[in-house]
Amino acid sequence: MPDSALPEPTEPEPTEPEPASPEPSTPEPRHLSTPDPRHLSTPDPRRLSAREAVALLTEEFAELPHPGPAAGIKPDGPLDWQGYGASLARAVERTGEQESVVCGRAVIGGTAAVLIAFEFGFLGGSLGSRTGDLIEAAHEHARAHRLPLVSLIATGGSRMQEGMLALTQLQRVAQESALTAAAGVPQLAVLRDPTTGGGWATLGAGADMILALPGAQVGFAGSRVRPADADPAAYTAEAQFASGHVDAVVPAEDLRAEVALRLRLLTFRRDGTPAPVPPAHGDTTLPETGWDAVESARSPARPRAEAYLDAYFTERAAVSGDRCGGRDPGMLCGFGLYEGSGGDADGDGDGGGGGGGETVGSADRGTDGSGPRTIAYAAQCGTATRPSGYRTAARLIRLADRLGLPVLTLVDTPGAANDAAAEAAGAGPAIAELFTAVATARVPVTTLLIGEGGSGGALALAAPGNTWVAPSSYFSVIAPELAAAILKRPDSDVQATANELRLRPQDLVDLGVARGVAGTSTHPNKGTVAPQNR
């Protein structure tokens, strides 16, 4: 495609929004070759044409049939906007596309998917009535064939020349996205330059996982409708990532691998088998006293969440941010590929419930919990958890529940962050949100306490009835130091208070709070280890 097919401005001119094409023809399937990012027709990979964007992900792409046009379409659209029909004709000639989106089936890294790719050269990738027809058809196809849906977005928003009929397409797109989500079909979004207006507020921000190209303009407000003194840096992919609205910023050359990984992880078969309890890392000697347990859990040498996740999964894809303006580096969330042997982590042999539904995608595995499978994870990293961390974990658990994937949680925090900023950010509501997500999950949740279990800020991430503890851990209603202070005891009584709290791993098992102490794979502690190690 010639350079002239790609518009220079980062947003569509107000006079050039693109309406849906009246062309009813069904194009032949088109297979694409892989572009070398160094030799694309556009030097900036953020500003690719729709088909160049598709070709970054796959060589196997075939367009879906175009829905027929509605009867009685006027040459200048529903508003009789003077010159609109001519603008459409020029857009078709300039881009070779019939509308501002190209929709089709593709295979990305071995996983079949439905793609929606925006053509920004077609009147700024704007959404009109015909665009809504095509997006609706793509969602219907994804649901009918249970294929994940990937949106490659580059749009300036709704199409002005179609007025309110264009704006209401956002309701239509949102409804389709909600139906696809309810069907348990994953939705991914890739944010190109620009992703603004209704396209960001529906297909973009509404996706299950969101990737963005570096430097892409991302924001509800386009550059021409922002305050004059607005900082442009606040409307970028990087700013949206920092604020918890984007899961990852990915260079164009890595996009295929990153999208393929997420599709692969989100489309493994669902069998309702719980996540096996990880073997304990580090020292597996049980503490003699309560204070010994506290010191062991607080030791800088004790393995943290990263060590557990690296040993448990062969590959991972992060879910980052709470979609409410925050990120907490102390809460790691995402989906990982577990290739160990299966296990009945809840010990009852029935494997628990599940978000259920039919299989999405084409990944094969056994139905007895054996072989590679996807497990969602939420892991605290030993720091005081921020409200955004709790909301991110709740987001992860709700998504796993909808997709029918088991969840593993790793508990390790001295407690919830309790500073003024945490209160202003809604610490209480965020913790409540996580308690509710765990309590209402239909998929099995498995928990391992790997370090500190500080009060409700730790308990919110723990699975009722399926929590296990590592030898170097403790769980307490409150930290021993704070308990002594509340009881007006001297500092010299802190250690004795720790003993009274009965917070050791073996105490937690005796009290029925924990199901057992996880042993190592080579030196299990008989009688206190997780079922898969017996």
Side-chain angles (χ1 to χ4, degrees):
M1 186 176 292
D3 290 344
S4 59
L6 299 169
E8 289 304 317
T10 58
E11 274 188 276
E13 293 289 335
T15 57
E16 277 283 299
E18 299 298 342
S21 167
E23 177 58 52
S25 63
T26 300
E28 292 296 319
R30 225 188 289 192
H31 294 269
L32 308 178
S33 58
T34 307
D36 185 332
R38 297 169 300 177
H39 301 108
L40 292 168
S41 64
T42 310
D44 187 343
R46 294 171 298 168
R47 191 55 65 79
L48 304 177
S49 71
R51 295 185 188 273
E52 286 173 326
V54 170
L56 279 180
L57 300 184
T58 182
E59 298 85 39
E60 301 178 65
F61 176 79
E63 261 187 274
L64 294 175
H66 284 209
I73 292 181
K74 300 177 183 179
D76 281 332
L79 305 186
D80 287 321
W81 188 288
Q82 186 175 1
Y84 180 39
S87 294
L88 283 175
R90 288 194 301 269
V92 171
E93 182 179 4
R94 182 170 62 245
T95 65
E97 306 298 350
Q98 298 300 315
E99 241 305 326
S100 60
V101 292
V102 177
C103 303
R105 287 184 61 145
V107 177
I108 304 172
T111 303
V114 172
L115 295 187
I116 298 173
F118 279 74
E119 175 54 72
F120 189 72
F122 195 106
L123 297 176
S126 55
L127 283 82
S129 300
R130 184 66 172 161
T131 323
D133 292 341
L134 296 172
I135 292 174
E136 180 181 77
H139 273 275
E140 289 175 345
H141 190 88
R143 293 195 298 271
H145 298 274
R146 300 202 58 77
L147 297 175
L149 188 142
V150 181
S151 298
L152 307 173
I153 306 171
T155 176
S158 298
R159 192 165 298 170
M160 199 167 50
Q161 292 94 325
E162 294 188 22
M164 280 302 298
L165 290 181
L167 189 64
T168 57
Q169 298 308 305
L170 303 183
Q171 296 173 316
R172 186 180 182 188
V173 172
Q175 181 181 36
E176 288 302 316
S177 180
L179 291 172
T180 300
V185 174
Q187 299 174 71
L188 276 69
V190 176
L191 312 182
R192 296 152 55 207
D193 185 48
T195 298
T196 60
W200 165 229
T202 53
L203 286 174
D208 298 322
M209 298 184 80
I210 304 172
L211 306 180
L213 290 173
Q217 179 187 173
V218 180
F220 185 66
S223 62
R224 300 180 187 182
V225 296
R226 299 171 193 157
D229 59 350
D231 180 5
Y235 302 84
T236 63
E238 289 77 6
Q240 298 290 353
F241 172 75
S243 297
H245 304 302
V246 167
D247 292 297
V249 178
V250 179
E253 60 268 23
D254 298 332
L255 192 60
R256 178 180 295 209
E258 292 295 327
V259 171
L261 171 62
R262 284 159 177 79
L263 291 178
R264 186 164 65 251
L265 289 174
L266 296 181
T267 56
F268 267 107
R269 293 187 187 279
R270 309 159 180 177
D271 59 19
T273 306
V277 182
H281 291 236
D283 186 2
T284 59
T285 304
L286 290 173
E288 293 186 7
T289 69
W291 189 247
D292 288 341
V294 172
E295 289 190 317
S296 179
R298 292 176 179 174
S299 170
R302 174 182 57 79
R304 263 45 181 192
E306 284 277 12
Y308 276 88
L309 296 175
D310 287 344
Y312 194 81
F313 295 114
T314 55
E315 52 187 347
R316 291 185 275 141
V319 165
S320 178
D322 63 359
R323 303 282 179 91
C324 296
R327 292 180 63 247
D328 182 0
M331 179 74 81
L332 302 178
C333 296
F335 296 89
L337 183 64
Y338 175 78
E339 298 196 67
S341 60
D344 180 14
D346 62 9
D348 61 10
D350 67 6
E358 303 168 53
T359 301
V360 178
S362 58
D364 291 321
R365 56 178 301 276
T367 57
D368 60 354
S370 62
R373 57 182 172 135
T374 298
I375 294 174
Y377 64 86
Q380 292 168 318
C381 297
T383 57
T385 304
R386 311 295 304 178
S388 57
Y390 292 114
R391 285 191 289 261
T392 303
R395 172 194 161 202
L396 179 281
I397 292 170
R398 288 193 297 265
L399 176 56
D401 189 57
R402 181 153 49 78
L403 299 179
L405 297 172
V407 179
L408 171 70
T409 66
L410 301 179
V411 174
D412 184 11
T413 180
N418 57 8
D419 53 82
E423 288 299 332
I431 294 171
E433 185 178 340
L434 181 54
F435 268 122
T436 300
V438 172
T440 58
R442 297 163 295 171
V443 294
V445 181
T446 302
T447 297
L448 177 63
L449 172 67
I450 64 172
E452 292 194 80
S455 195
L459 188 66
L461 196 58
N466 199 25
T467 292
W468 302 80
V469 290
S472 299
S473 69
Y474 78 88
F475 220 142
S476 178
V477 64
I478 194 171
E481 297 90 341
L482 298 178
I486 291 172
L487 297 171
K488 299 181 180 179
R489 294 178 176 179
D491 291 345
S492 58
D493 285 353
V494 168
Q495 295 186 22
T497 302
N499 294 333
E500 291 181 75
L501 288 169
R502 296 196 64 190
L503 47 69
R504 300 176 303 166
Q506 57 268 48
D507 295 327
L508 300 171
V509 174
D510 291 342
L511 291 169
V513 174
R515 295 194 59 189
V517 180
T520 65
S521 58
T522 54
H523 300 287
N525 298 309
K526 187 176 181 181
T528 59
V529 296
Q532 72 272 14
N533 287 329
R534 285 179 178 161

